[in-house]
Amino acid sequence: MTRSQGSLTPEQMAFYNEEGYLVLDQYLSAEELEGPKQAMSTKVAQIADNLYEAGLIKDKLEERPFKYRLAELFNGLTEEHFLKYGRSWRDRIPGYFELMSNSKLLDAVESLIGGEIFSNPVYNVRPKVPGVAAGAVPWHQDKSYWPDANANPVITVWIPLVDSTHENGCLHIKPRTHKQRVLEWHRETTTGTGYTALQESQLGPTATVALPVKAGSAILFNDRCIHMSTPNNSNEVRWSVDLRYQPTDQDPMPQHGAGFLARSRKHPELVATLQDWLASATTATP
Ligand SMILES: O=C(O)CCC(=O)C(=O)O
């Protein structure tokens, strides 16, 4: 088989399979991030309108840079305001589809699960705003969100749109924990998010690996791999997306929304188009 642009090397595949995660450093170019950034800016403008109409802000901060605007819009507002107006999003904005369908990303995923790829409905745009407790994500396994779905392996592809650092709350992972069963989780109750969470005592002896990475890097991980992220102690938004992919013969999890056929070597004519995705259709109509 010839290697496509974004295909993984045998060493990278072996690392992913052994460790449960893989970092692709500065994988996407600034140009490839432009579409999703535009989509996020569109959403931030809508949030500014909503906050303004609700009488919560007097200035929509239209001239402020991408990195700062959303953080500054919520300056002086409460956790409840953030949960209501600013939490993770799953909107149908074309720039997100562009990213989810990025051929380099799909090449990497294909290296791991083959060429029949379904984009799982669970994808999140995460603006981690400074000083908001809901931004920090507790230790968990993604599979705790779909424990009964016959959907292993789901691969999460986590991409920061700005540099992700210790200060602004980068991802942390427990390598090799994907080889165990799904652990019993609880719903955390302090942040109002309902995140699934594990107790400290369940984490085992594996040392934690912190993963600060540059904008456009991609961190791939298995849905049983234990991970978390720390609070944002900077003054900028830690923008990221987490996308998920699985083989087409797995549960499409409609209870979480509509995913879509992202790549098919067997039936390329059925791969969902932007119009299909905007209409929430999972494949193209042949
Ligand atoms: O982006 C984060 O801070 C956490 C992401 C995460 O937990 C996930 O993608 O499952």
Side-chain angles (χ1 to χ4, degrees):
M1 195 181 87
T2 53
R3 285 188 75 234
S4 303
Q5 202 192 4
S7 300
L8 302 181
T9 64
E11 292 74 25
Q12 288 172 318
M13 287 188 257
F15 186 94
Y16 178 88
N17 289 326
E18 188 52 29
E19 302 295 318
Y21 78 100
L22 177 70
V23 177
L24 301 173
D25 187 39
Q26 297 178 72
Y27 193 63
L28 299 180
S29 65
E31 201 184 349
E32 286 169 303
L33 297 182
E34 201 41 47
K37 253 187 187 168
Q38 285 298 333
M40 291 169 189
S41 300
T42 301
K43 176 73 176 186
V44 171
Q46 288 165 4
I47 290 176
D49 287 344
N50 294 340
L51 293 174
Y52 187 82
E53 278 154 28
L56 293 166
I57 56 169
K58 294 200 165 30
D59 182 352
K60 295 190 202 170
L61 306 177
E62 274 148 333
E63 303 308 318
R64 295 297 292 144
F66 175 70
K67 223 157 88 152
Y68 299 111
R69 185 176 177 200
L70 191 68
E72 293 175 9
L73 284 170
F74 282 99
N75 261 346
L77 299 184
T78 64
E79 298 270 332
E80 286 68 34
H81 291 131
F82 178 75
L83 290 175
K84 180 165 178 197
Y85 295 97
R87 234 198 109 202
S88 63
W89 316 321
R90 219 170 270 172
D91 300 292
R92 294 296 212 230
I93 306 181
Y96 299 152
F97 181 79
E98 199 183 298
L99 184 63
M100 288 191 270
S101 311
N102 180 288
S103 65
K104 237 158 72 183
L105 283 184
L106 294 176
D107 290 344
V109 173
E110 180 170 353
S111 298
L112 297 171
I113 61 170
E116 304 304 309
I117 303 175
F118 187 75
S119 176
N120 183 288
V122 181
Y123 74 94
N124 298 301
V125 177
R126 281 181 206 258
K128 190 193 280 215
V129 167
V132 172
V137 177
W139 286 114
H140 69 285
Q141 294 168 296
D142 280 0
K143 194 159 167 59
S144 57
Y145 288 97
W146 45 84
D148 302 323
N150 173 26
N152 247 345
V154 175
I155 297 176
T156 295
V157 180
W158 188 93
I159 302 167
L161 281 286
V162 296
D163 293 352
S164 159
T165 64
H166 287 280
E167 195 190 7
N168 71 15
C170 63
L171 215 60
H172 292 60
I173 256 179
K174 295 270 187 194
R176 297 180 293 288
T177 50
H178 65 300
K179 295 183 178 177
Q180 63 188 324
R181 65 193 167 79
V182 181
L183 299 169
E184 197 172 317
W185 71 93
H186 63 277
R187 293 259 170 210
E188 70 83 49
T189 49
T190 49
T191 63
T193 58
Y195 286 139
T196 65
L198 296 169
Q199 310 284 3
E200 204 66 31
S201 59
Q202 295 176 284
L203 301 178
T206 317
T208 301
V209 176
L211 297 172
V213 287
K214 295 275 183 205
S217 300
I219 302 175
L220 280 55
F221 58 92
N222 179 296
D223 67 355
R224 288 174 198 240
C225 197
I226 299 178
H227 60 285
M228 63 94 155
S229 73
T230 45
N232 183 351
N233 295 319
S234 74
N235 63 351
E236 62 189 42
V237 182
R238 196 221 65 188
W239 283 104
S240 67
V241 294
D242 38 274
L243 314 177
R244 290 177 180 77
Y245 299 95
Q246 62 192 50
T248 50
D249 61 3
Q250 302 288 308
D251 181 349
M253 304 188 204
Q255 69 276 23
H256 292 288
F260 67 93
L261 183 65
R263 173 171 285 177
S264 174
R265 297 294 181 193
K266 289 187 197 145
H267 299 288
E269 73 284 3
L270 293 182
V271 168
T273 63
L274 172 62
Q275 280 64 38
D276 297 321
W277 183 73
L278 290 172
S280 287
T282 56
T283 64
T285 314

